[in-house]
Amino acid sequence: MPHLAVYVGLLHRSEQTLADALRTVGEGHAAEGDVYHTCDTLAKMSEEHVRRLEPIARRYGEQAAGEDVEEPERLHADGLAGVREGPVGLLRDLQDLYVLGTLVQTTWTAVAQAAQGARDHELLEIAHACEGETGRQLSWLNTRLKAAAPQALLVAT
C-alpha cells in the first residue's frame, strides 16, 4: 500500500485544518449565533475524525505529499488565517469552508475505496462514518451559504 500513507496524512491534516477553520469562522462571525454554535459543533466532528484516524496512521503511517512520491505534491489543505467582515465576507468564508470540506470528503471517498480493496474492515467502517459526517458538514455549509447569499449580494450595506 505504497500511497495510502499519503492519503492518511492528507486526511489527518485536512480534517485538523477544517476543524481549525470552522472555529476561526465561527468565532469571527460570532454575531451570527447559528454560525458560531454550528461551526463549533462541526469543528468537534472533525476533531473526532482526527482522533479516529490515529490507529490507522499507526498502522499505515502518514506521509506528506511530495515525500518520496512523485504525485500528488499539490494536495494540501490551506486553512483560513482570519475571517472577512460583513455579509459578503461571511459568504466567502462559507465558500472557503465548503471547498475545504469537499477536499476532506473526496479524500475519505478515496480512502474508503482503498480500504475496500485491502479488505481493511476497520478502516472502511471509519471512512464510511466520517465521510457521512463530512457530508452533513457540507450540507449545513451549503444551506447557510444559500441563506446568506441574497442579503450579501443584493442588499447595499
Side-chain angles (χ1 to χ4, degrees):
M1 293 178 226
H3 299 294
L4 185 54
V6 172
Y7 270 72
V8 170
L10 177 62
L11 265 177
H12 187 195
R13 287 184 306 280
S14 298
E15 283 281 13
Q16 188 60 60
T17 301
L18 180 57
D20 295 343
L22 283 160
R23 289 201 190 285
T24 297
V25 170
E27 291 167 7
H29 295 285
E32 301 283 337
D34 68 315
V35 172
Y36 176 80
H37 292 291
T38 305
C39 281
D40 180 63
T41 299
L42 298 179
K44 288 175 185 171
M45 204 179 278
S46 284
E47 289 165 348
E48 177 62 15
H49 296 173
V50 170
R51 187 195 65 73
R52 292 189 73 184
L53 273 169
E54 289 171 5
I56 304 307
R58 282 192 298 274
R59 186 168 346 131
Y60 292 108
E62 288 186 71
Q63 186 175 355
E67 262 180 41
D68 299 325
V69 179
E70 294 274 329
E71 280 290 326
E73 82 276 349
R74 294 175 302 163
L75 291 179
H76 64 281
D78 289 329
L80 296 137
V83 295
R84 299 170 182 100
E85 294 193 21
V88 174
L90 173 60
L91 187 62
R92 292 293 311 279
D93 290 342
L94 292 169
Q95 284 182 286
D96 286 347
L97 288 172
Y98 194 89
V99 169
L100 182 54
T102 300
L103 171 65
V104 170
Q105 186 177 46
T106 57
T107 305
W108 277 120
T109 299
V111 168
Q113 290 302 113
Q116 189 171 2
R119 293 184 175 83
D120 184 332
H121 301 290
E122 178 189 15
L123 178 54
L124 186 60
E125 186 274 324
I126 291 168
H128 281 309
C130 293
E131 182 181 19
E133 288 181 349
T134 302
R136 288 199 297 280
Q137 290 170 316
L138 289 171
S139 180
W140 179 82
L141 288 167
N142 192 46
T143 298
R144 189 59 176 87
L145 191 142
K146 288 177 182 179
Q151 176 74 21
L153 302 178
L154 298 175
V155 176
T157 55

